[in-house]
Amino acid sequence: MAYDGLFTIAMAKELQQLVTGRIAKVHQPNTQEIILHIRANGGNHKLLFSIHPSYARVHITEQTIENPPEPPMFCSLLRKHIEGGFIESIQQQGADRVLIFKIASKNEIGDPITRELHAEIMGRHSNLILVDKETNKIVDSLKHLPPAMNSYRTVLPGQPFIAPPEQDKEDPKTISSESLQLFFAEEKNTQEIVQHFTGFSPLHATELLYRSKTTGQPIAELFSLFIEEFEIGGNSPTYAEVQGKTYFSPVKLTHLKGEHTSYQNLSTLLDRVFFARAERDRVKQQAGDLERWLQNEISKLKLKLKKLQKDLDRANNLDQFQLSGELLMANLYAFEKGQKEVTVVNYYSEDSEEITIPISERKTPVENAQSYYTKYNKAKNALIMVQEQLDKTQEDLAYFEMLSQQVQQAAPADIEEIREELAEQGYLKLRASKRRKKPTKPTPEKFKSSTGIDISVGKNNKQNDYLTFKIARKSEIWMHTKDIPGSHVVIHSSEPDEQTLLEAATLSAYFSKARESSSVPVDYTDVRQVKKPNGSKPGFVIYFEQKTLYVTPDEELIMKLK
């Protein structure tokens, strides 16, 4: 991946469409993301800032991200200072990964003020800082840096704003042709280009060298043309997966051999790149404790299952106890009190072989026989109890594994419903909330097939049950992965076309434990053929008269259907 300085050049160009736009709303979904709702050029746009150490970025997003009921402090501060303001300019700091948004706003008494929002996209050092332009002091930031953490600059409210330290490198946008000729007079490698020029990641340095070798064009001449591709906003936003690794760039990556996908703009590209990753991280922030609890329960159930299996194996010896008791009763004359064992003929066997039975020397022959009958009856009762416990434990394990899969694939909005379900089942206590929440109906996620048919997907058990037994009509089509934990999917049509069937099956496979697999079996049937057994756990159903499709989950398709 490479949200480097060159990518930032292209993004700065793309974001110019927001200049003169009015900031209508400010939201903060979590501790690492800010979203500005901007009205510009007759359209509404959502500008996303993320300072996540792995997914730091700035771009316009089409994704819907759930907001907390109470705005965090930094969000409230941004609302006070820039909500209702106008974006005067968006500029990049040199060729670095820093974008500066100049915003004209008004203070509490209506006087005009100017604020700058500095987005520093620098991996684990990323930050979003609001600066008072007139005093050059920090109003506040998403991440605070006291002097003990950073000796070069302090990032705290009221402190003078100091820009990140400049690198001792050449700016690729302003370097002279003479300097280029001089630098490339000798053959260079990827690392030398990265170390000499601001904004170059190894990905783009490698691409530059590859183009020079394949075209035969002098690299000093090619360099300026290469930078121009970024300055116009990128000529071919590209996403590529090669050997399990993901790459993206505003320009064609000709040196990578593999499947490439082009996008109409950088923001759509970044939505594709971070679609699942960023959502997964948001869920982790909100549901880390729930995930750990579920994994702990799953581990305990697996251990219990092993112990019960051993008990079951021991209890299965009941036939041997019964045989020993009967053979002893038939041979009471053959032994006396005081013996430790007795050898008798097994007349139940076709071969009538002799077997040796251990007995107690303190008991009479009759008492020894009765002892084996007692062991038989105990084992028989134990077998019933152990089998019941085994069935219950296997059912609980399947339930918790299903919940674990749902948490891993849930949106942040789905997590609270999973907590509520566990509380209703008596497994968890809900956190005390300051606000009394109004009861809300579960909301399955909605999709639309490429032929215009609505499809709904339950993202947790509450949504699954509500979708299948409350929303869906009896004649509509219901889907679920075959013998694999996953979501209930309903096509809101009684006779969907083949394309819709395949797309809905792909949704079913994607929202299941088999997301990373291929040729996933998906069963489908009429909703009327789906039943919920009495006393079964949430989300559990049985179904009849199903047919099966085999599909491979496709994230690209899921985004289009969404």
Side-chain angles (χ1 to χ4, degrees), residues 326-339:
E326 291 185 358
L327 290 177
L328 287 176
M329 284 298 290
N331 292 277
L332 290 174
Y333 63 88
F335 63 103
E336 298 174 356
K337 186 176 180 179
Q339 291 181 238

Side-chain angles (χ1 to χ4, degrees), residues 4-284:
D4 57 9
L6 297 189
F7 196 103
T8 310
I9 292 172
M11 182 54 72
K13 175 68 177 176
E14 181 168 303
L15 294 181
Q16 294 307 309
Q17 63 184 296
L18 302 179
V19 173
T20 71
R22 179 178 176 272
I23 300 170
K25 292 179 184 176
V26 180
H27 286 147
Q28 185 177 351
N30 52 63
T31 57
Q32 297 175 326
E33 292 178 320
I34 290 289
I35 295 177
L36 303 186
H37 293 254
I38 300 167
R39 178 74 180 171
N41 297 314
N44 294 313
H45 310 273
K46 288 184 287 186
L47 180 62
L48 170 68
F49 298 88
S50 171
I51 65 165
H52 188 282
S54 300
Y55 313 137
R57 63 203 187 279
V58 178
H59 66 99
I60 297 167
T61 183
E62 294 296 326
Q63 298 300 314
T64 300
I65 305 172
E66 200 73 20
N67 291 301
E70 293 288 338
M73 272 184 58
F74 187 66
C75 178
S76 299
L77 181 134
L78 287 180
R79 288 176 180 178
K80 175 184 174 183
H81 286 270
I82 65 172
E83 201 168 74
F86 291 86
I87 298 174
E88 291 189 334
S89 67
I90 302 173
Q91 295 180 332
Q92 183 183 13
Q93 184 177 297
D96 225 329
R97 292 170 294 170
V98 178
L99 288 171
I100 303 167
F101 295 75
K102 189 177 179 183
I103 301 163
S105 188
K106 291 182 179 179
N107 60 18
E108 295 93 330
I109 58 174
D111 292 336
I113 56 171
T114 302
R115 297 286 183 261
E116 284 186 348
L117 201 55
H118 290 244
E120 300 174 358
I121 312 303
M122 299 177 175
R124 62 191 180 90
H125 300 295
S126 299
N127 209 347
L128 186 64
I129 307 171
L130 184 66
V131 178
D132 183 334
K133 181 62 178 168
E134 292 177 10
T135 62
N136 195 46
K137 287 189 175 179
I138 297 169
V139 180
D140 206 349
S141 60
L142 253 183
K143 191 192 296 179
H144 290 172
L145 288 177
M149 288 181 67
N150 192 318
S151 58
Y152 178 81
R153 63 196 295 232
T154 299
V155 181
L156 289 172
Q159 292 294 314
F161 173 74
I162 300 170
E166 290 188 11
Q167 303 175 56
D168 188 19
K169 294 182 179 182
E170 291 274 14
D171 187 333
K173 296 188 294 185
T174 58
I175 189 171
S176 66
S177 56
E178 292 80 8
S179 296
L180 279 174
Q181 293 286 352
L182 187 63
F183 176 71
F184 287 113
E186 296 179 5
E187 189 174 336
K188 302 296 181 185
N189 60 32
T190 297
Q191 195 58 34
E192 287 172 317
I193 292 174
V194 171
Q195 290 175 349
H196 189 78
F197 295 102
T198 305
F200 266 86
S201 63
L203 177 71
H204 288 133
T206 303
E207 176 63 20
L208 176 65
L209 289 170
Y210 181 81
R211 289 190 187 187
S212 178
K213 287 176 183 176
T214 52
T215 62
Q217 191 174 359
I219 193 166
E221 296 175 15
L222 186 67
F223 186 92
S224 299
L225 296 173
F226 188 64
I227 299 303
E228 279 178 22
E229 290 185 31
F230 294 91
E231 290 180 319
I232 62 170
N235 55 10
S236 181
T238 298
Y239 172 86
E241 285 188 13
V242 181
Q243 296 180 346
K245 290 186 177 180
T246 299
Y247 302 88
F248 63 88
S249 172
V251 302
K252 286 183 179 179
L253 298 171
T254 57
H255 73 280
L256 291 176
K257 306 304 175 190
E259 189 177 339
H260 291 229
T261 308
S262 295
Y263 291 83
Q264 59 183 5
N265 56 51
L266 298 181
S267 292
T268 307
L269 166 66
L270 291 181
D271 264 347
R272 167 66 183 92
V273 172
F274 298 106
F275 169 63
R277 293 181 185 88
E279 186 83 322
R280 179 79 197 104
D281 190 74
R282 292 182 197 114
V283 171
K284 268 196 168 182

